[in-house]
Structure formats: C-alpha cells, structure tokens
Amino acid sequence: MNNSDETNSSSNWIAEVSHELRLPIANIKLLIETLLDGAMDDNEACKRMLKRAYQEVDRLNILVSNLLSHEKVAEERSELNRKWILLKEPTQYALDSVSQLAKSKNIDIVVDIKNGCSIYANPEQLDQILLNLLENAVKFTDKGGRIVIKSEDAPGKFSVVDTGIGIAPEEIPKIFQRFYRINPEQHKGSTGLGLSIVKHILDLHEATIQITSEQNKGSTFSLQFPNPN
Ligand code: ADP
C-alpha cells in the first residue's frame, strides 16, 4: 500500500464511521426536540421516547467499543505475539459474556472441545474472535435454539454452529464488509463491525474462515488457523 492509498483508505474509514455515528445522534436529537416541543407533557409518549433514546445511546456505546476493537487490532499488526492457547480458555471468556443473553432466550450452548486442543494465536485477538462469533450466534438464534462450539479433527480448526435464522448464499460474501448488516431494522443492537474485525484478525494470522448456512436452519462458521513449522 503506498501513502496515497493509505490516506484514501483512512479517509474512507472516517467517512464510513461518521455516517454510522450520524444516524443514532440524529435520532436522539429528534427525540429530544419532540420532547421539548410538548411531548413531555404526555406521560406515556415521554416514557416511550426516553426508551427509544436509551436504545440509541446503547447502540452508540456498542458502536464505539467495536470501533476501538477495530483500531486495537490495526495497531497490533506489527507485533502479533502468538502463543499456544487452549481453545477452552477463549471459549470460556466468550461464554461468560453471552451467558445472560443466552439464558434470557433459553438458548443451550454446548462446548465440545477435545482436551488439549490448542490454537497458535494472539490470546486477546482469539478472545475477540470467539466473542464476536458467539455473540452473533446468540443474537441471530431464536428462543430455544442451540449453539455448539467444537474442535475439529484437523489441527488448528474449530467451528461455531448455531440453529439460528441462517444466511442466504448471496449474503455470505458481504457480511465481512464493515458496517454490513443483512436486516438492520430487525437487529437494532447490531453495528455490522463484528465479522469485519474477525476477518481482519484472521488475515493477520493467515487463518481462514468458511461459512455454511441454510436459512431458518442455522449456520456453521469454521475457522482454520495455521500451525507454526
Ligand atoms: P453485527 O452482528 O454487529 O450486525 P457482524 O459484522 O458481526 O455485525 O455481522 C454482520 C451481519 O451478518 C449481521 O448483521 C447478520 O445479518 C449476519 N450474521 C452474522 N452472524 C450471523 C449468524 N450466526 N446467523 C445469521 N446471520 C448472521
């Protein structure tokens, strides 16, 4: 990448980020204006609008923390600091973060990882991958569904399997793009950054990801990390 490419890609990045931040900010402003214009006197309307504003702030919060994760991964490009990590460790970290949401949706999460299964990776970045994949699996799986995190026979390979809403074949290549969401209206808490962070980390590790999915049946995300020589 030469200097002018870098400048272009960072100004694209700033334009994309600004665009994403603008919508929730505009919504919050509109809600406050409506309240000040008299909606505050109607108790029910006031509660409804404050709840909407709260959701928008929540979305901003998720957006900012995802942006920070993105930036952190970009900064660590030069020094990857890989180690052997027992796959059960980042899995537990991700499970702790999603367990409440999974419980509230009555989703069963099964860990089927062979003892001793290890991945050669940057520990924080592997945590981030497991977290993003598991968060998606829980978000896009309906109540009563099931998620399995399993090690595969090939060394360095593992999968996250869900019984969720699935992904249409033509959408699969797009979901790794920054800010891309298949159904933004239905999933307000989504930012479209999770999988682009995953892809970025996988590229740094020269690792690959494969998705197989069937709509209304579920998806499997299979990751293959290279082993050191
Ligand atoms: P986010 O989850 O914040 O929207 P991602 O980049 O992680 O962002 O995912 C992009 C889109 O890919 C999601 O909005 C969703 O439409 C789709 N997606 C990701 N994971 C799954 C999954 N396990 N099942 C169904 N759709 C998914």
Side-chain angles (χ1 to χ4, degrees):
M1 208 189 247
N2 65 34
N3 271 350
S4 99
D5 285 344
E6 264 177 39
T7 314
N8 277 342
S9 85
S10 75
S11 62
N12 280 349
W13 173 228
I14 291 170
E16 285 176 54
V17 170
S18 310
H19 177 81
E20 291 297 316
L21 291 173
R22 200 177 280 151
L23 186 66
I25 292 172
N27 284 342
I28 293 166
K29 188 167 178 239
L30 190 69
L31 287 162
I32 293 172
E33 278 168 3
T34 316
L35 284 169
L36 290 174
D37 276 351
M40 219 155 39
D41 302 331
D42 174 344
N43 204 12
E44 276 312 301
C46 182
K47 266 195 206 153
R48 218 172 38 242
M49 285 182 197
L50 284 176
K51 205 170 157 206
R52 279 283 324 277
Y54 187 86
Q55 284 169 343
E56 295 290 352
V57 171
D58 243 5
R59 184 168 152 62
L60 275 176
N61 211 357
I62 297 172
L63 202 54
V64 169
S65 70
N66 282 351
L67 287 170
L68 289 175
S69 307
H70 226 297
E71 214 34 45
K72 198 151 176 266
V73 174
E75 271 170 18
E76 280 166 6
R77 184 191 293 262
S78 53
E79 229 185 306
L80 205 45
N81 284 328
R82 281 183 254 204
K83 293 190 178 91
W84 282 107
I85 304 153
L86 284 170
L87 183 56
K88 282 188 175 162
E89 288 171 9
T91 301
Q92 191 55 49
Y93 163 81
L95 279 176
D96 290 343
S97 302
V98 302
S99 65
Q100 226 175 340
L101 181 61
K103 205 169 162 198
S104 73
K105 293 178 78 177
N106 196 20
I107 291 174
D108 191 20
I109 306 185
V110 178
V111 178
D112 180 14
I113 297 175
K114 286 187 202 82
N115 279 338
C117 170
S118 302
I119 306 290
Y120 190 64
N122 173 292
E124 277 185 20
Q125 295 186 358
L126 192 59
D127 280 351
Q128 183 79 58
I129 287 180
L130 262 306
L131 178 63
N132 292 9
L133 292 179
L134 209 55
E135 265 180 2
N136 279 347
V138 176
K139 251 191 315 194
F140 300 109
T141 295
D142 288 331
K143 284 188 177 160
R146 181 181 156 95
I147 295 168
V148 183
I149 306 153
K150 59 174 185 176
S151 51
E152 304 284 359
D153 288 339
K157 186 167 183 181
F158 64 92
S159 303
V160 178
V161 186
D162 67 55
T163 57
I165 60 173
I167 308 165
E170 67 276 14
E171 298 285 359
I172 291 179
K174 301 184 202 157
I175 58 176
F176 293 102
Q177 292 167 13
R178 283 191 304 231
F179 302 117
Y180 189 80
R181 290 169 284 157
I182 297 171
N183 242 326
E185 281 314 305
Q186 274 174 23
H187 300 280
K188 298 246 186 245
S190 290
T191 63
L193 279 173
L195 286 178
S196 79
I197 295 172
V198 168
K199 185 69 174 68
H200 196 133
I201 296 175
L202 292 177
D203 287 348
L204 292 179
H205 285 79
E206 294 175 352
T208 55
I209 184 164
Q210 257 196 331
I211 302 175
T212 50
S213 186
E214 205 177 329
Q215 280 183 290
N216 303 316
K217 288 256 166 75
S219 310
T220 298
F221 289 72
S222 295
L223 285 74
Q224 172 73 67
F225 280 74
N227 284 324
N229 298 321

